[in-house]
Amino acid sequence: MGRAGNGRRVCALGVAGALAGAVLVGCGDDGDSGDGAQGTSASSSAGAREQGTQAVRSAYDRTAEEDTAKVKLRVQTSAQGASQTANGQGAVDLDDGDSVMTLTVQGQQIEQRVVDQVLYQKMPKGRTPGGKPWIKIDLGKVAAQQGTGDQSMSDPAQSAAYAKAITDKDVTEKGSATVNGVKTTHYRVSVDVAELPNGDTLRKQVGPTLPMDVWLDDEGRMRRQQIDMTVKAPQATQRSSSEASSAPEKVTVRTVMDFTDFGTEVEADAPPAGQVTDMTGKALEQGKGQS
């Protein structure tokens, strides 16, 4: 697999939870720098901006070259004045996107695996459709339905697409910060959604720009990624016509994704077929509701 393909796998783990509906992944920490201080002021020189742009463009590939990493997620979703936070930790293969993770949602633990672009989740007892312990969603089929193939919105870290959608004016260095004990440089990025694959459709879902923050270490590897999204809720989840307002319901999603322990071992195996209920069809129906 080429480096561009490797780079876009960096975010595959976070996307899986979003598609499953149990966990939505988007990054945000309100500018908090992790476990360290928010250091120097932003640079305004053209040379610094160009350097920052190149650093961000190459970050996904530099991270993917490490092959594997441990990952921590913190996800907050908000809608109708209510919010929910989910946390997860595990490990991801940055080359092919396979991963293993334990998610905690509303006090309930969910075991999650991504194997060959198929998401598996072991739901809390009594909450699994079909009475089987695991559900699965074919992420490739969901992406294909969106009309973007392997470069869909469900793969926002696709490095080649981002490289085209980011210019020098879209990247701002925000200073230095310590993330999980590692010194990093914080960059704020504004991605032009129109320049991404299937951009016209994406603009309807998330607006003209996609805010993104990344924290890069001295080797240019991503140590933290933050993505903020505001998306239209699927029609099926909105209130009845008698209760709904004229404006579509919107859901804000903020996700923090931290990368540590590069080179860690990752063993992601699919559960036995007899223990799995296929929910791909349900996910495709929900996808139609959002289009």
Side-chain angles (χ1 to χ4, degrees):
M1 181 182 295
R3 284 293 113 193
N6 291 345
R8 74 183 154 71
R9 296 300 177 192
V10 173
C11 209
L13 179 58
V15 172
L19 291 175
V23 176
L24 295 177
V25 174
C27 301
D29 60 1
D30 292 321
D32 176 66
S33 61
D35 53 7
Q38 186 76 29
T40 58
S41 60
S43 172
S44 59
S45 70
R49 286 182 179 274
E50 181 178 357
Q51 184 178 11
T53 301
Q54 294 304 318
V56 173
R57 284 177 172 173
S58 63
Y60 299 104
D61 289 345
R62 288 182 180 271
T63 307
E65 287 171 357
E66 299 296 336
D67 294 330
T68 62
K70 289 184 178 179
V71 180
K72 288 185 178 180
L73 296 177
R74 185 173 79 250
V75 184
Q76 183 175 10
T77 61
S78 301
Q80 298 181 9
S83 64
Q84 175 178 302
T85 300
N87 295 282
Q89 59 182 355
V92 61
D93 187 319
L94 302 170
D95 183 48
D96 59 20
D98 286 359
S99 64
V100 292
M101 173 165 282
T102 299
L103 308 170
T104 303
V105 185
Q106 294 183 320
Q108 300 287 328
Q109 284 197 340
I110 299 172
E111 184 179 347
Q112 176 174 293
R113 305 174 190 175
V114 177
V115 183
D116 296 332
Q117 297 190 47
V118 177
L119 168 73
Y120 298 91
Q121 285 189 334
K122 188 175 184 180
M123 311 298 289
K125 188 175 181 180
R127 298 182 59 183
T128 305
K132 298 178 181 180
W134 292 85
I135 64 171
K136 78 172 184 178
I137 295 176
D138 189 321
L139 303 181
K141 290 182 179 179
V142 174
Q145 182 202 60
Q146 295 174 344
T148 56
D150 200 32
Q151 294 182 326
S152 68
M153 189 59 198
S154 67
D155 200 1
Q158 208 280 337
S159 57
Y162 269 110
K164 295 177 182 179
I166 296 173
T167 64
D168 292 349
K169 67 179 181 179
D170 298 322
V171 178
T172 303
E173 182 179 332
K174 302 300 291 183
S176 60
T178 301
V179 176
N180 297 313
V182 177
K183 182 180 178 181
T184 68
T185 302
H186 174 196
Y187 296 95
R188 181 156 295 163
V189 181
S190 179
V191 178
D192 185 352
V193 175
E195 295 298 322
L196 294 172
N198 204 31
D200 291 341
T201 298
L202 298 182
R203 282 174 63 92
K204 297 177 183 178
Q205 298 172 342
V206 302
T209 59
L210 180 64
M212 181 174 68
D213 289 66
V214 294
W215 285 256
L216 309 182
D217 65 18
D218 290 342
E219 298 183 43
R221 302 172 301 187
M222 186 166 21
R223 292 291 182 160
R224 170 170 290 170
Q225 181 185 41
Q226 170 181 308
I227 300 175
D228 298 318
M229 293 186 187
T230 300
V231 299
K232 293 181 180 179
Q235 294 177 359
T237 66
Q238 296 189 27
R239 293 171 291 176
S240 65
S241 57
S242 61
E243 299 175 305
S245 63
S246 57
E249 180 184 326
K250 293 184 178 180
V251 178
T252 61
V253 185
R254 315 188 74 187
T255 306
V256 175
M257 179 180 284
D258 287 359
F259 297 90
T260 63
D261 298 280
F262 293 115
T264 194
E265 185 176 356
V266 179
E267 294 185 3
D269 297 316
Q275 298 182 16
V276 179
T277 298
D278 192 341
M279 299 293 291
T280 304
K282 184 67 173 180
L284 293 173
E285 291 178 6
Q286 292 179 344
K288 291 179 180 178
Q290 296 183 59
S291 59

